[in-house]
Amino acid sequence: MSAPVLLVIAHGSRDPRHAATVHALVRRVRALRPDVRVETGFLDFNVPSVPGVLESLATEGVRDVVALPLLLTRAFHAKADIPAVLADASPRLRIRQAEVLGPSPLLLAALERRLYEAGLTPADKSSTGVVLASAGSSDPEAIAVIAEIAREWRRSGWCAVRPAFASASLPRTEDAVRELRALGCARVAVAPYVLAPGRLPDRIARGAAGADVLADVLGPSPEVARVLLERYDAARTPVLAAVGA
């Protein structure tokens, strides 16, 4: 029996860097699990669209699909947009929606990877304050998750970690940078907790002007690819159990 198709669902963006980063991440996932067919669909701005991919799969005769939201928090898109799109798919498809990527220890490892690539070293942790810069959300659950991630990450040895948001919530990145300066951290680093470049990550970068270090977005890091496959495997297990029943 073939494994369910993994459909990675990205938001989409007018910024071409967004789709390019999503495709690079999907290529890494395929390389890690060549036995799994991985497709990509976008909710907006880019092609192929999620409905288009689902229709193509149904036409091919595919039965089982794991739809994986390429999202770091469980907010509006994961709770409303994506379930609505999946509900409109062909009844020939058996679709299971996987959990969003965060939170995960692997994502914290990816954040640290990006900070070290930007010039920090593990020896800098105790004297460095970090801004965990998220895109932002109006969903209280998503905001609470970001705050908890910041608290957890602080326990790994950083001088301090403060959450910040590019939209919908406060504080902004520049405010968190100033707060960490006021706390007396020897240096301040900004770690974008976003998957791909675009308008909001650019806003984070502008807010990081007063910081010493600005890390890159998470992008196609190996840790993110591993989280995708963890979420896929967790979602596909009930499918396999049902078939074997």
Side-chain angles (χ1 to χ4, degrees):
M1 181 185 62
S2 61
V5 171
L6 168 55
L7 172 58
V8 176
I9 300 179
H11 183 275
S13 171
R14 292 186 178 90
D15 189 322
R17 297 174 297 168
H18 175 90
T21 302
V22 170
H23 291 309
L25 175 59
V26 168
R27 285 194 297 271
R28 186 179 285 275
V29 171
R30 288 184 180 129
L32 287 173
R33 291 284 290 275
D35 59 311
V36 175
R37 178 177 174 182
V38 187
E39 299 290 343
T40 307
F42 295 90
L43 291 173
D44 206 353
F45 301 116
N46 303 107
V47 292
S49 68
V50 176
V53 175
L54 291 171
E55 183 57 35
S56 295
L57 292 174
T59 301
E60 285 182 35
V62 170
R63 285 286 310 282
D64 289 325
V65 176
V66 170
L68 193 153
L70 198 59
L71 301 168
L72 294 172
T73 57
R74 190 173 180 273
F76 182 78
H77 293 304
K79 294 177 178 178
D81 284 357
I82 292 175
V85 171
L86 299 180
D88 286 339
S90 169
R92 290 173 288 173
L93 294 172
R94 181 166 44 185
I95 304 173
R96 292 182 182 264
Q97 181 176 329
E99 290 296 326
V100 297
L101 303 184
S104 168
L106 285 170
L107 294 178
L108 288 179
L111 287 165
E112 296 205 357
R113 170 193 291 274
R114 294 302 189 224
L115 285 170
Y116 297 151
E117 289 171 350
L120 293 179
T121 70
D124 296 325
K125 291 183 75 167
S126 62
S127 58
T128 301
V130 179
V131 178
L132 179 68
S134 168
S137 173
S138 58
D139 188 306
E141 178 187 348
I143 297 304
V145 167
I146 298 298
E148 177 56 33
I149 291 170
R151 286 191 290 268
E152 179 183 348
W153 202 16
R154 163 66 182 84
R155 290 194 285 268
S156 72
W158 297 100
C159 173
V161 180
R162 293 291 184 271
F165 307 94
S167 68
S169 306
L170 295 174
R172 295 286 184 256
T173 302
E174 52 268 33
D175 299 325
V177 169
R178 284 192 291 267
E179 181 184 351
L180 290 171
R181 291 277 187 221
L183 280 175
C185 297
R187 67 185 63 78
V188 176
V190 174
Y193 190 59
V194 292
L195 288 167
R199 179 176 58 88
L200 294 180
D202 285 349
R203 186 178 296 173
I204 290 171
R206 290 193 296 272
D212 302 295
V213 174
L214 170 62
D216 200 358
V217 299
L218 296 174
S221 67
E223 294 87 358
V224 175
R226 287 168 57 196
V227 176
L228 259 73
L229 290 169
E230 283 187 356
R231 299 293 184 256
Y232 166 78
D233 287 334
R236 69 178 285 205
T237 301
V239 175
L240 297 177
V243 171

